Amino acid sequence: MRQMTWFVLLLLMAMAARSQSISKLEADSMLHELQTNPPDLQRIDLLLHLAQYQVFKPDEHKDDFDSALAYIQQAIQINQKLRSIEAAGFVSLTQSHLAREKGLKDEARSLAQRAVDILQKGNNKYYLARAYFELSMHLDFRIPKELVQ
């Protein structure tokens, strides 16, 4: 059982590392695609990926975080009429990334937990796995009580 847990954790880490690396070219392509007026769910996905691009860019600057927040707010506004569970969970996940990068550990953990709670009700297992991975980034593995949660 312990070996399986480690295997899943390593798999999630590899998945998260791959999913978080958005190149400048990919970001430019997403910006171009936004201009074509894609359907709302696709628009939300593009906005949140652009937000993550801003969050995880090397040499963090306040402007990058402000841009990420603007993309997140646009996604929230679109999802207010759609009420998509997956989009709401992805928003919380992206907010958690932003909070973690800003050093707001408690807020980041709370948002990651909220993302997990929301995404468990949906069908997007990929986003759910990413939310679990983000939540695992906030666990102290030296504290057995946290591992049981």
Side-chain angles (χ1 to χ4, degrees):
M1 179 67 176
R2 183 170 260 199
Q3 288 177 337
M4 178 62 109
T5 302
W6 281 111
F7 173 74
V8 169
L9 187 58
L10 289 173
L11 181 63
L12 288 173
M13 286 172 46
M15 222 171 44
R18 168 69 179 116
S19 69
Q20 292 172 0
S21 57
I22 298 172
S23 71
K24 172 82 169 113
L25 183 63
E26 289 170 313
D28 289 343
S29 177
M30 286 183 229
L31 282 170
H32 177 73
E33 193 171 346
L34 274 177
Q35 294 173 349
T36 66
N37 269 341
D40 286 343
L41 273 176
Q42 185 179 353
R43 185 172 198 79
I44 290 171
D45 191 66
L46 288 167
L47 288 165
L48 294 176
H49 278 93
L50 284 167
Q52 289 184 8
Y53 168 73
Q54 295 294 331
V55 168
F56 294 116
K57 273 179 23 180
D59 302 324
E60 301 161 352
H61 299 287
K62 183 183 181 318
D63 292 345
D64 297 334
F65 291 154
D66 291 345
S67 295
L69 186 58
Y71 288 130
I72 292 168
Q73 289 171 335
Q74 287 178 51
I76 290 170
Q77 189 173 23
I78 295 168
N79 198 42
Q80 284 177 340
K81 66 179 177 181
L82 286 182
R83 298 181 188 269
S84 164
I85 291 172
E86 284 80 6
F90 194 22
V91 164
S92 291
L93 176 61
T94 305
Q95 289 172 319
S96 178
H97 292 315
L98 178 59
R100 181 168 46 93
E101 289 296 311
K102 289 170 94 174
L104 305 171
K105 293 179 182 183
D106 291 339
E107 182 179 345
R109 182 179 180 156
S110 174
L111 287 163
Q113 182 62 61
R114 184 169 72 183
V116 167
D117 294 343
I118 292 169
L119 290 166
Q120 283 177 333
K121 299 172 190 166
N123 295 321
N124 193 318
K125 301 306 179 196
Y126 175 69
Y127 286 165
L128 179 59
R130 288 185 55 195
Y132 272 121
F133 178 75
E134 178 65 18
L135 184 59
S136 77
M137 300 294 287
H138 303 285
L139 297 178
D140 187 343
F141 292 100
R142 296 170 293 174
I143 302 172
K145 183 180 177 186
E146 288 196 6
L147 297 178
V148 175
Q149 292 179 356

